[in-house]
Every structure is written in C-alpha cells, then in structure tokens.
Amino acid sequence: DGNEIKHYQLDETVESKDHILSSTTMTCDYSGNIWIALKNGKIYAYDNRTDAFQLRVDASGYLSSPVLNNILFDVDNRLWLCMSTGVYCWEEKSGLLLAGLKGQCANCIVQIDDTEFCAGTNKGIYRLKRIKPVFLQRKRYLFPRKCMSNHCVLSKINYL
C-alpha cells in the first residue's frame, strides 16, 4: 500500500545481512515477476500466492563455486546469467547451459534486438548472436583510448 515496509526472508538458513552483502541484482521478467539474484548463484522469484520469495535457480548444482554477476530476461522471457566462467542460459527443463564466453568473467549483458546481445567481460565487450535457442556466437569490440591527463576517453568503436 506504499505505507508499510515488509522484510522478506530469502533463505531460512542464511542471515539476512548475508543476502544484502551478496546481493547481485533485482529485476522483473516480462511476465512481471520480481527476481533476486545473489553472488553465490542462487536466484529467487517472488510468489504472489505465498507472499514469499522462492528459490528457482541454484547454480551450485551445476558449477563448483559459482559467482553470479548479473542476470537478464530476454524478449522471449529466457533467463541469461553472467557468471565468472561465462554466459549461461537457464531453462526449467534443461537446467543451466553454457551459452558463450567460456572461461571469461561476464559482468553484464544487454539485449540489442531479438537475437543479439552485448556482454561486458574482464577482457572487453563482446557482441553475441544467438544462433540456436541458447548458444551464442561472439565478436569482440575494440575500444581505442585517447588519454588526457589521468582520464581515458573512449573514442570510436572498432568491430572485429
């Protein structure tokens, strides 16, 4: 109602301060559901029926020591995960699938159009094209820098 603040517990076994410290992102999918992703690879979705957040994805069941940096729901409401080891796609029936940038730390991802994305990594920015439902083909952007005193200014983009 806008006049009351409610504290939601994500997991009974972890103290709430740990969720705040490890929180990665909060977003909505295209159906209007609220999602919270934690650095440890756990992703929760809000359930209207129970007025609680339910664990929907646990990357630790697929990867050892997962580090989740960001999530994105694409226009098809498919969930993409930016992990310390690449970009992954989550599907309820298939689980967690490596989609691209294997071995690279993917920090963030945005969708450009129906089949193309840009992902920021520790080695640069990549343009990713979906060639199958979940697998991505990559091309890297190069950003030449013009440095002025202590500040670097990004100039034109060279596309490989």
Side-chain angles (χ1 to χ4, degrees):
D1 66 5
N3 295 315
E4 187 177 317
I5 297 173
K6 182 173 180 178
H7 175 80
Y8 288 93
Q9 189 85 6
L10 293 179
D11 191 335
E12 298 291 328
T13 62
V14 181
E15 291 185 40
S16 61
K17 69 179 177 81
D18 293 332
H19 290 306
I20 293 167
L21 295 175
S22 70
S23 180
T24 300
T25 190
M26 179 187 281
T27 191
C28 285
D29 63 19
Y30 279 86
S31 301
N33 299 308
I34 300 171
W35 294 73
I36 296 176
L38 304 180
K39 283 270 188 212
N40 64 8
K42 291 185 178 182
I43 303 174
Y44 298 84
Y46 179 72
D47 185 342
N48 285 328
R49 295 174 311 221
T50 61
D51 189 31
F53 282 88
Q54 306 293 323
L55 180 64
R56 297 289 298 276
V57 179
D58 187 355
S60 67
Y62 300 88
L63 304 169
S64 63
S65 304
V67 177
L68 176 62
N69 296 316
N70 204 346
I71 62 173
L72 169 79
F73 285 94
D74 67 14
V75 294
D76 297 319
N77 218 22
R78 186 177 290 115
L79 177 59
W80 298 89
L81 290 74
C82 293
M83 307 287 292
S84 60
T85 56
V87 175
Y88 292 79
C89 184
W90 171 262
E91 291 185 339
E92 198 72 40
K93 61 181 183 242
S94 306
L96 193 65
L97 301 171
L98 178 64
L101 299 176
K102 181 179 181 181
Q104 292 196 47
C105 182
N107 296 309
C108 59
I109 189 167
V110 294
Q111 188 166 17
I112 299 170
D113 62 28
D114 289 348
T115 61
E116 293 198 44
F117 303 82
C118 276
T121 72
N122 56 343
K123 296 188 182 194
I125 297 175
Y126 292 86
R127 188 171 190 148
L128 307 169
K129 184 169 180 70
R130 193 171 67 222
I131 53 174
K132 292 183 180 178
V134 297
F135 298 101
L136 300 171
Q137 178 183 38
R138 74 178 189 190
K139 292 186 179 180
R140 184 173 178 204
Y141 284 112
L142 295 179
F143 288 95
R145 295 183 181 182
K146 291 181 182 176
C147 291
M148 299 158 73
S149 66
N150 291 332
H151 302 285
C152 286
V153 179
L154 296 177
S155 61
K156 66 178 183 173
I157 298 173
N158 291 325
Y159 184 62
L160 285 181

